[in-house]
Amino acid sequence: MKAKKIQNKPGKIFIISGPSGSGKTTLLSRLIQDKKIGKLLAKSRSVTTRPRRSGEKQGKDYFFVTKDEFRRLVKAKKILEWTRYLGYYYGTPKELVEKQLKRGKHLGFCLDLKGARVLKKIYPHNTVTVFVLPPSLNVLKARIEGRCRETDKKEITQRLRMAKREILSAAQFNYRILNRSLRVALKELRKIFLKESSA
Ligand code: 5GP
């Protein structure tokens, strides 16, 4: 039988946060697509009760579940941390995280402030937090409108209101990145990852 290699040094937790439309998910995906980084970093996938957006895939972007399933997972202690965002539940699967970290693999997360705080509390020595800022509220509004085309106006207003609140928490993160140009922001994120993953 082939023995699994377990490294002594646990992997690091890279949390990318930022308002809806800041580009955090794209930045994390692009970072993982980098040949060198993709070997070291995997994306954590959350469980959510939010409906799937067009283009999103089950098990790739999220594990889409019903409210009852979500409650069952929380009750069974299979969720490390969870949050409620605009009426939907989002949670981090415990087993996935523990397995990857034990293997020494670094894990990238897109979480809200609450999730970032909880994970930092659970893993104080190996958590790095990055906040992605949009260049302006007007740009953010245009991005959210583009994404929520298939949803209603109310959700756009709610996401914008949340965004203003979230931006005020940027100072609580280890790093802040301004996403004016995806290329420049990605370069900065790559630099942060390479520095912190080898520390
Ligand atoms: P969206 O609906 O735009 O995909 O996500 C809404 C918000 O929930 C985003 O800020 C996203 O980062 C956050 N989020 C996604 N999954 C989780 C999770 O498992 N835990 C926490 N705390 N936040 C999450």
Side-chain angles (χ1 to χ4, degrees):
M1 201 169 76
K2 215 173 166 187
K4 268 188 195 150
K5 192 176 166 192
I6 297 181
Q7 297 180 1
N8 291 329
K9 206 173 164 192
K12 286 213 170 159
I13 289 182
F14 285 88
I15 300 175
I16 322 277
S17 209
S20 178
S22 60
K24 57 183 186 295
T25 312
T26 308
L27 277 167
L28 181 59
S29 304
R30 294 280 179 92
L31 185 70
I32 292 171
Q33 278 166 21
D34 181 297
K35 255 194 190 156
K36 179 176 173 187
I37 292 177
K39 286 184 192 140
L40 311 166
L41 179 70
K43 185 179 179 280
S44 166
R45 278 148 300 155
S46 294
V47 177
T48 186
T49 62
R50 163 168 82 59
R52 208 187 308 184
R53 289 186 196 130
S54 65
E56 284 184 331
K57 290 202 176 81
Q58 172 74 297
K60 182 175 177 278
D61 299 286
Y62 281 107
F63 296 107
F64 297 94
V65 296
T66 62
K67 250 188 195 171
D68 280 349
E69 272 178 279
F70 192 89
R71 282 199 201 105
R72 191 183 53 75
L73 289 168
V74 172
K75 219 171 151 195
K77 302 204 183 328
K78 296 204 166 173
I79 299 289
L80 208 48
E81 64 76 36
W82 63 271
T83 196
R84 192 166 178 231
Y85 185 95
L86 302 182
Y88 301 116
Y89 294 97
Y90 298 80
T92 304
K94 191 174 174 182
E95 206 182 307
L96 186 145
V97 174
E98 291 182 344
K99 220 163 148 186
Q100 296 276 33
L101 292 182
K102 253 189 226 162
R103 282 185 188 157
K105 187 109 181 175
H106 305 305
L107 264 181
F109 296 77
C110 278
L111 304 180
D112 68 353
L113 173 67
K114 189 181 167 206
R117 275 198 189 134
V118 175
L119 287 195
K120 189 130 198 175
K121 222 172 178 177
I122 303 175
Y123 303 102
H125 306 299
N126 50 335
T127 299
V128 180
T129 58
V130 180
F131 194 90
V132 181
L133 285 152
S136 71
L137 280 176
N138 277 342
V139 170
L140 193 73
K141 187 167 178 262
R143 287 184 191 165
I144 295 175
E145 280 172 351
R147 170 184 301 169
C148 295
R149 211 166 287 150
E150 73 245 49
T151 63
D152 59 318
K153 272 232 158 66
K154 196 172 138 218
E155 184 172 338
I156 297 173
T157 314
Q158 285 175 331
R159 281 188 180 256
L160 260 173
R161 198 179 304 137
M162 278 296 285
K164 288 179 192 162
R165 224 183 292 161
E166 285 171 300
I167 288 169
L168 296 176
S169 71
Q172 297 179 41
F173 288 75
N174 297 126
Y175 297 92
R176 280 153 294 284
I177 291 179
L178 180 68
N179 188 10
R180 191 186 301 282
S181 137
L182 187 64
R183 189 183 60 80
V184 177
L186 186 60
K187 212 168 144 189
E188 243 179 277
L189 186 62
R190 191 177 190 275
K191 218 162 104 186
I192 294 170
F193 174 80
L194 290 174
K195 179 180 160 219
E196 292 286 351
S197 60
S198 57

